[in-house]
Amino acid sequence: MIRIFISHSSEQKAFVEKLVSKLSKTKCVVDAYDFEVARKSKDEIFRNIRQAAMFVLLISRSALRSEWVQME
């Protein structure tokens, strides 16, 4: 199954939830659903990016300012 890592800023959470509900949680990799709480965020980001077949960046002003999005 193809999994899509969705990179986004925290200001885009509501939009991301709508997008994931349309595409399916099983096809999307999103921090709110897929990151293990006990692991460091940075480690989880890179682990999930490596496992995803596709990387999607939701571009917005807030995403472009986000240090996390820049790291991804």
Side-chain angles (χ1 to χ4, degrees):
M1 171 185 22
I2 292 178
R3 301 258 305 163
I4 305 162
F5 184 95
I6 301 176
S7 177
H8 63 284
S9 78
S10 57
E11 293 178 25
Q12 296 171 294
K13 292 277 187 204
F15 177 79
V16 170
E17 287 181 19
K18 290 178 187 176
L19 180 63
V20 170
S21 72
K22 299 279 186 203
L23 296 174
S24 160
K25 282 185 184 179
T26 60
K27 294 180 183 176
C28 299
V29 179
V30 177
D31 57 352
Y33 308 121
D34 297 289
F35 288 18
E36 293 182 29
V37 179
R39 289 185 164 199
K40 291 182 180 178
S41 295
K42 188 175 179 180
D43 295 339
E44 277 296 275
I45 288 169
F46 291 125
R47 182 181 71 81
N48 280 286
I49 288 172
R50 281 192 303 274
Q51 292 177 353
M54 192 178 305
F55 180 93
V56 172
L57 170 59
L58 300 180
I59 298 175
S60 67
R61 284 184 168 88
S62 61
L64 294 174
R65 288 189 306 264
S66 167
E67 290 181 31
W68 289 101
V69 171
Q70 290 176 25
M71 179 182 55
E72 294 167 1

